[in-house]
Amino acid sequence: MRRKVIAGNWKMNHNPVETREFFEVFKGLVKDSENEIILCVPYIDVAAALEATAGTNIKIGTQNLNHEESGALTGDISCKMLQDIGIQYTIVGHSERRQYHNETDEFVNLKMKAAFAHDIIPILCVGETLKEREAGIAKYKILTQIVLDFDGLTAEQAKNVVIAYEPIWAIGTGKTATAEDANEVCQWIRDEIKTLYGAEVAEEIIIQYGGSVKASNAKELFEMSDIDGGLVGGASLKPDEFAKIVNWR
Ligand code: 13P
């Protein structure tokens, strides 16, 4: 059976002091969890988060990386810098970066490859806008993202990607896809992975749901057959709320 992976995405929230305060409370609340727990924090909080979670069952990730190892790229943080400080996960292709930073699938693909080349697991976000859903092209959009973002990855690498299905209309809106709807898309994504990489990869790959996940809806979502956990935004900012999501069963 696949493990459940619950990841938090703090987005542009919390400073290092708030980060230490968060983990002081959070680590005790989730210490007995059998689920994999990841917190993707802002770069400015990474050092505090790594220090606060050393020796615990909590992993620290980032929300982005630059695919170049070094260079004249003002303001960016490279895949090698993250590897050097022991980062194991990074979000790649979040819809907010695609939308506000014009990140294309070709660019996302470079980040996927750079992550693997530096022993970092990418949490790849895919998902449709409300307009695309209503136009009946949600699956077309997601398939395009998957084909282009996975381009050139080996089966071994593909198996280790964490896919986060995040319908854009459900992010930060309080509107959650129904558990059945979310599961149907996650199941369909798994079928497409099977077509691209075969049954073994499809069976093992982790597919999360993201978009207004909260303590009150986590159980019904995570109990579904093809939803292997969640990528949680707003509800991951408070230790008690996020702990309830992690401890959903
Ligand atoms: P919310 O949980 O705040 O809707 O955000 C979801 C998300 O974008 C996680 O990456």
Side-chain angles (χ1 to χ4, degrees):
M1 217 175 86
R2 286 182 299 273
R3 68 196 193 284
K4 298 281 180 186
V5 180
I6 321 290
N9 174 10
W10 279 1
K11 307 192 179 184
M12 200 169 68
N13 294 288
H14 284 343
N15 63 33
V17 172
E18 291 161 336
T19 298
R20 282 187 204 98
E21 287 169 359
F22 174 94
F23 285 112
E24 204 48 55
V25 179
F26 182 68
K27 62 187 179 189
L29 298 175
V30 299
K31 65 178 182 352
D32 298 323
S33 173
E34 287 167 12
N35 303 315
E36 191 168 341
I37 310 164
I38 308 163
L39 257 304
C40 295
V41 304
Y43 288 135
I44 198 171
D45 298 328
V46 166
L50 284 173
E51 202 182 298
T53 56
T56 71
N57 56 342
I58 303 162
K59 295 172 181 161
I60 300 303
T62 59
Q63 301 167 15
N64 187 28
L65 53 64
N66 190 293
H67 63 279
E68 300 286 356
E69 293 210 337
S70 63
L73 289 155
T74 303
D76 273 7
I77 302 285
S78 85
C79 43
K80 178 153 189 319
M81 291 163 151
L82 298 179
Q83 181 185 30
D84 286 348
I85 58 163
I87 288 294
Q88 293 168 279
Y89 286 89
T90 186
I91 295 172
V92 168
H94 193 280
S95 58
E96 287 151 15
R97 292 210 63 87
R98 294 180 190 260
Q99 186 180 351
Y100 304 127
H101 297 270
N102 300 320
E103 289 194 5
T104 61
D105 285 305
E106 287 72 16
F107 200 38
V108 171
N109 177 247
L110 290 174
K111 293 180 187 219
M112 298 277 278
K113 289 176 179 156
F116 279 116
H118 294 84
D119 296 329
I120 298 169
I121 305 262
I123 302 175
L124 171 70
C125 301
V126 297
E128 80 285 2
T129 61
L130 188 58
K131 211 167 157 188
E132 287 160 345
R133 171 165 276 234
E134 285 172 352
I137 57 167
K139 288 181 178 169
Y140 171 77
K141 162 81 174 291
I142 297 166
L143 182 57
T144 306
Q145 290 179 322
I146 288 177
V147 168
L148 297 177
D149 299 349
F150 273 73
D151 186 45
L153 293 195
T154 65
E156 192 53 35
Q157 291 170 333
K159 194 164 70 180
N160 285 301
V161 174
V162 173
I163 298 178
Y165 166 54
E166 298 206 315
I168 295 166
W169 48 271
I171 296 177
T173 58
K175 285 187 200 141
T176 320
T178 65
E180 288 73 23
D181 272 358
N183 194 52
E184 197 234 296
V185 178
C186 290
Q187 212 162 37
W188 172 83
I189 291 173
R190 202 176 299 287
D191 280 347
E192 295 304 322
I193 294 291
K194 186 173 172 187
T195 307
L196 291 169
Y197 285 102
E200 193 192 321
V201 173
E203 200 39 53
E204 284 193 33
I205 196 165
I206 297 292
I207 305 179
Q208 301 174 316
Y209 167 79
S212 299
V213 175
K214 354 182 219 294
S216 58
N217 60 21
K219 186 173 160 61
E220 60 176 318
L221 287 162
F222 299 167
E223 266 177 354
M224 300 306 283
S225 63
D226 284 83
I227 301 180
D228 307 321
L231 183 57
V232 185
S236 72
L237 292 169
K238 295 208 180 95
D240 47 346
E241 171 84 3
F242 192 46
K244 280 187 196 147
I245 296 174
V246 168
N247 298 326
W248 61 278
R249 45 172 155 208

